[in-house]
Amino acid sequence: MRNFQNPGRSMAVSDQGMICTSHPAASQVGLDVLREGGNAMDAAIAAVAAQGVVEPHMTGIGGDCFALFSWNGAPPVAINGAGQAPQAATAGWFVANGFDGIATDSAHAVTVPGAISAWDTLNRDYGSRPLGALLEPAARLAEQGMIVTPRVAHDWSVYREKLAANPTTKAHFLPGGAALTAGDRFTNAALAATLRRIGAEGPRAFYEGAVAEALVAELRGLGGLHTVEDFAAAACEYVTPISTPYRGYDIFECPPPGQGLAALMILRVLELIDMSDDRHTQADSVHYLAEATKAAYRARDAHFCDPAHHAVDIERFLSSDYARDIHARIQRETSSEPAAWDEPEHKDTVYLCVVDRDNNAVSFINSIFAPFGSAIFEPRSGVMLHNRGASFRTDPAHPNAIAPGKRPLHTIIPGLVCRDGRPVMPFGVMGGHYQATGHAHFLSQVLDQGLDIQSASDAPRSFAFGGELSLESTMDADVQAELARRGHAVKVADEAIGGAQAIWIDHARGVLFGASDHRKDGLALGL
């Protein structure tokens, strides 16, 4: 139990349903759906649509989506809603035209958004409410105006210059030239109309016709290779989740092109170290997590890609031999060589989870990649386009090289924990590259340290990335000093690292516990 004299949050507790998102308006939308008899998938779709309005720098229908869920007690199912590159986008074209990588604000960074395809598929296969009814709360928020919350206002201010670089984007998102502040009202009537059109006509209203034509015209005007045929061909796909055992539980992730495999690799190593051992200090725990992260991310950056275009040896990366090899290289007193990163950062995402009265559990993540995505805003549709294609490589020999119809390496990963064949926790950690490390850290806090899910979310975070070990300012000074002594390039993080949501299902007592990260504006709400 937490210390009630310290700042913090209690877990939400309920027995009829639970939703956890990073924004209070989205949590309320999802709870309303549950209260009206909708199921977990209905609530997830309605809530994530609302988040595209109230957190426009994080997500939206111009982005991508992944989901991992357990329905009616069945084994977990995963859906890949990642966007695909245009048919004309070959690595050879980029090399011939002098590209060394893809800029985050370039039209070439925009793959065909996959979120709407995934939402529609999930709604048809698992929803109990019409898609139009689920999108209507988001449409009303966009039409009538959402009230800017403190964390959203902070991010808006931080990325003001990015918004100002594109005249169309500036006119809409910086009215009067200034970033919106907490309490301001922000409207997007064009987005409201697009959402209602999708609700009435289905995904064709986004991938064909006026909306698709407007998006393609905007992209081609900025040098993009997109065609209306590329949009019309967009399709999500169901995929088989990957998993590893950890402390008597089964941890499920989506397979590549996501980085969920890296999270499982880190856990494989941490289990060999036995992070539950009381002899480990906090510095030990941070050090071991950093070393396992660096090893897993080296493999990720070299090998992870769209498996439809290049095989990823999942069995090898999750093997006991591979984990033991990494474990053997970790020295308790000395950090390994830091791994630098020269590709675009992956930062902004929303994650939510829902459990309904029937214990259907949904782990759901949606993103426009960088803050405000590509900052390419199409005003007739009201759509801000993502820039997930910036994570493609332009080296034709690299597994993650851009290619026609290919999906890029993705950082966004939903997670799901099961035991004895039943779901016990949908969970996710936002924060771009941090997410795989964040999954491992969060699970270790719960399953090794015995913390409740809110306390695990609140715990100070660290991230070994780009040649540095970033530590949140809440990490004790003596821990920082000890990590520096071991050779880590310690840096106190400028901002909070990531965000998280989780729901723990207590099957024995029929109770749900929800957690939402204090680093965001979000809420865990129970029915």
Side-chain angles (χ1 to χ4, degrees), residues 180-203:
L180 298 184
T181 61
D184 286 344
R185 185 180 294 272
F186 179 71
T187 61
N188 190 342
L191 178 61
T194 298
L195 287 166
R196 286 177 174 138
R197 184 177 297 174
I198 294 168
E201 303 173 20

Side-chain angles (χ1 to χ4, degrees), residues 83-442:
Q84 296 168 279
Q87 287 299 309
T90 66
W93 183 93
F94 284 90
V95 172
N97 285 276
F99 284 82
D100 182 18
I102 299 173
T104 59
D105 59 354
S106 163
H108 298 303
V110 182
T111 60
V112 178
I116 289 299
S117 175
W119 297 3
D120 176 70
T121 299
L122 292 170
N123 174 249
R124 285 188 289 105
D125 294 344
Y126 294 93
S128 68
R129 296 287 187 273
L131 184 62
L134 301 179
L135 300 186
E136 181 56 28
R140 285 198 301 269
L141 279 167
E143 182 177 63
Q144 298 171 8
M146 66 91 166
I147 305 300
V148 178
T149 52
R151 177 57 197 266
V152 174
H154 168 77
D155 292 339
W156 216 301
S157 176
V158 168
Y159 296 105
R160 179 194 169 283
E161 291 186 9
K162 179 176 181 177
L163 294 169
N166 182 308
T168 303
T169 305
K170 178 181 178 181
H172 187 75
F173 287 89
L174 296 175
L180 298 184
T181 61
D184 286 344
R185 185 180 294 272
F186 179 71
T187 61
N188 190 342
L191 178 61
T194 298
L195 287 166
R196 286 177 174 138
R197 184 177 297 174
I198 294 168
E201 303 173 20
R204 293 194 311 274
F206 183 84
Y207 294 110
E208 301 177 30
V211 171
E213 290 166 5
L215 293 172
V216 168
E218 185 74 21
L219 290 165
R220 291 190 73 87
L222 295 170
L225 303 174
H226 310 73
T227 66
V228 291
E229 290 78 14
D230 291 324
F231 271 71
C236 65
E237 61 178 355
Y238 287 111
V239 292
T240 303
I242 57 176
S243 67
T244 192
Y246 191 80
R247 308 294 185 224
Y249 294 83
D250 293 307
I251 316 302
F252 287 87
E253 299 276 355
C254 294
Q259 65 168 338
L261 176 57
L264 300 182
M265 292 168 68
I266 295 169
L267 288 171
R268 296 283 289 168
V269 175
L270 296 186
E271 189 160 38
L272 293 174
I273 296 170
D274 189 4
M275 299 293 278
S276 64
D277 193 326
D278 291 340
R279 293 174 296 176
H280 293 320
T281 65
Q282 187 176 21
D284 289 335
S285 296
V286 174
H287 172 73
Y288 290 135
L289 179 63
E291 296 304 292
T293 291
K294 285 185 280 187
Y297 279 42
R298 287 188 186 101
R300 182 199 71 167
D301 300 340
H303 300 287
F304 292 13
C305 63
D306 184 346
H309 289 252
H310 191 285
V312 180
D313 195 346
I314 294 172
E315 184 176 352
R316 171 174 170 258
F317 288 129
L318 291 182
S319 69
S320 297
D321 287 345
Y322 198 93
R324 283 194 292 265
D325 182 60
I326 295 173
H327 176 254
R329 297 166 187 262
I330 295 176
Q331 303 297 314
R332 181 179 183 275
E333 295 297 322
T334 307
S335 69
S336 64
E337 187 70 21
W341 177 256
D342 58 1
E343 299 295 321
E345 284 195 70
H346 311 212
K347 297 183 69 174
D348 282 6
T349 297
V350 297
Y351 171 81
L352 64 90
C353 50
V354 191
V355 176
D356 62 25
R357 58 184 55 81
D358 297 318
N359 283 337
N360 295 312
V362 176
S363 187
F364 202 106
I365 200 159
N366 217 92
S367 174
I368 57 171
F369 191 27
F372 291 101
S374 62
I376 298 173
F377 175 70
E378 201 294 299
R380 289 169 290 178
S381 63
V383 174
M384 180 73 85
L385 290 163
H386 71 154
N387 58 349
R388 186 62 63 176
S391 63
F392 274 127
R393 306 296 182 100
T394 53
D395 175 4
H398 195 282
N400 190 38
I402 192 167
K406 190 173 182 178
R407 294 178 166 100
L409 169 69
H410 260 267
T411 54
I412 60 174
I413 49 174
L416 183 64
V417 180
C418 294
R419 190 167 198 176
D420 298 328
R422 295 192 296 182
V424 294
M425 185 174 66
F427 75 100
V429 179
M430 298 168 280
H433 286 293
Y434 174 70
Q435 290 179 54
T437 300
H439 277 213
H441 175 256
F442 178 80

